Amino acid sequence: MSKRKNETVPYTLVIHGGAGTISKARQNEALEKEYKKALREALQKGGEVLKKGGSALSAVRVAVRTMEDCPLFNAGRGAVFNFQGGHDLDASIMDGKTLKAGAVANIRNVKNPVELAYIIMKKSQYVLLSGADALDYALENGLKIEDSQYFRTEMRYQQWLKARGSDHMFLDHDTPVDDKKFGTVGAVARDKRGNLAAATSTGGLVNKRYGRIGDSPIIGAGTYANNHTCAVSCTGKGEFFIRLVVAHEISSIMEHGGKSLAEACEIVFKQRLQTLGGKGGVIALDKNGEVVTLFNTKGMYRGIKKEGERDKIFIFDQ
Ligand code: ASP
């Protein structure tokens, strides 16, 4: 039955902070607490938007921005180092109601790449901008700019030293640095009007080179939202997610294959990605408020907020 005018649905927000070889043995209690606190803060800030009747789009923006500001995650402040010792940032956002999207790749010095992705979506005639010229667009639109020191964290630097000078490129969470497993961030939301949205932000892979771009800023690969189906944000080795167009494929299987969100995620993520040897995780939310979080790594930082229920924060168990 279709929704009557002014009728509302329960809001939902799901976030992730990356997946990887996060094992209980390596994650000490203090660090675990820090992560949980950071995830809770992002859930709370994004959830506040939804509670007040704000849009799913604003909620994912706020949740991702909160995690970009936290040095624990590989996005915004705390992003991984690239081959040259800098930080190249990728982000995207999509509105499930209008199918409008914005994204930015290989941007430097923009404090909140998700904000730039949003401005691109809102104000420009483009979907994806990249590199130094995209910085001009950020400046023209008055976005906050920081010097490279702002993005630097000692842990990330030490992580990069292990790979520096080699061709080795790895997931930030798969580094052997003790007790520090950080991640790409993402959020999916459904607001009280039933609109869906998704956003993802990352520093990409450690020691990435040649202008490498992962799935996070690629609409359909790392991020997708469509009110008729679902909202999806991915994390993991982006090359696999691009090849399988994971986020859009989940939506397509629901739309054209008549499958549920859980079935579509199972097909794309568990069967296809696994067959190719891809590693990572996905958070997804459908138009009925069903939530799926899946990962084939040891852990994935994630949180779920559902109207009228207690917030849930997880790192390990599926
Ligand atoms: N998906 C991101 C990329 O490939 C990395 C990650 O999720 O950690 O750039």
Side-chain angles (χ1 to χ4, degrees), residues 74-126:
N74 172 21
R77 186 174 189 199
V80 297
F81 284 76
N82 64 15
F83 188 80
Q84 288 88 9
H87 307 276
D88 288 324
L89 311 169
D90 302 336
S92 63
I93 190 162
M94 185 160 184
D95 182 357
K97 184 180 172 192
T98 59
L99 297 187
K100 282 188 177 169
V104 65
N106 276 339
I107 183 82
R108 290 192 182 165
N109 301 104
V110 173
K111 183 173 185 249
N112 293 110
V114 74
E115 288 299 312
L116 181 54
Y118 175 73
I119 294 287
I120 292 167
M121 178 188 105
K122 266 307 224 210
K123 291 177 130 185
S124 82
Q125 53 180 314
Y126 310 111

Side-chain angles (χ1 to χ4, degrees), residues 32-230:
E32 198 173 316
K33 267 198 187 143
E34 275 185 54
Y35 270 108
K36 288 186 169 166
K37 192 171 158 232
L39 290 167
R40 198 156 273 133
E41 188 188 343
L43 260 193
Q44 192 257 323
K45 287 192 174 162
E48 208 45 45
V49 173
L50 296 171
K51 192 175 167 189
K52 287 186 184 143
S55 69
L57 195 65
S58 301
V60 294
R61 229 175 107 199
V62 168
V64 167
R65 194 171 65 208
T66 305
M67 291 186 279
E68 285 179 341
D69 290 342
C70 172
L72 286 176
F73 301 108
N74 172 21
R77 186 174 189 199
V80 297
F81 284 76
N82 64 15
F83 188 80
Q84 288 88 9
H87 307 276
D88 288 324
L89 311 169
D90 302 336
S92 63
I93 190 162
M94 185 160 184
D95 182 357
K97 184 180 172 192
T98 59
L99 297 187
K100 282 188 177 169
V104 65
N106 276 339
I107 183 82
R108 290 192 182 165
N109 301 104
V110 173
K111 183 173 185 249
N112 293 110
V114 74
E115 288 299 312
L116 181 54
Y118 175 73
I119 294 287
I120 292 167
M121 178 188 105
K122 266 307 224 210
K123 291 177 130 185
S124 82
Q125 53 180 314
Y126 310 111
V127 169
L128 172 61
L129 299 182
S130 71
D133 289 347
L135 181 61
D136 290 343
Y137 194 70
L139 290 167
E140 278 171 26
N141 284 282
L143 290 192
K144 262 205 161 142
I145 305 298
E146 297 286 352
D147 63 23
S148 351
Q149 277 306 307
Y150 169 83
F151 299 91
R152 184 193 192 283
T153 55
E154 185 56 26
M155 192 294 292
R156 292 287 174 212
Y157 181 65
Q158 293 302 327
Q159 183 183 52
W160 176 61
L161 289 185
K162 291 183 195 294
R164 186 159 76 162
S166 74
D167 261 342
H168 192 44
M169 179 175 87
F170 52 88
L171 273 176
D172 62 304
H173 356 267
D174 284 349
T175 140
V177 177
D178 285 346
D179 288 338
K180 306 248 176 153
K181 306 285 163 279
F182 306 144
T184 288
V185 305
V188 292
R190 179 174 84 143
D191 62 33
K192 288 184 177 180
R193 287 174 297 279
N195 294 314
L196 299 177
T200 311
S201 181
T202 188
L205 297 187
V206 181
N207 209 35
K208 64 184 180 179
R209 162 176 218 197
Y210 306 123
R212 180 262 182 196
I213 294 169
D215 60 316
S216 309
I218 309 294
I219 295 300
T223 306
Y224 194 73
N226 183 338
N227 270 8
H228 296 299
T229 53
C230 61

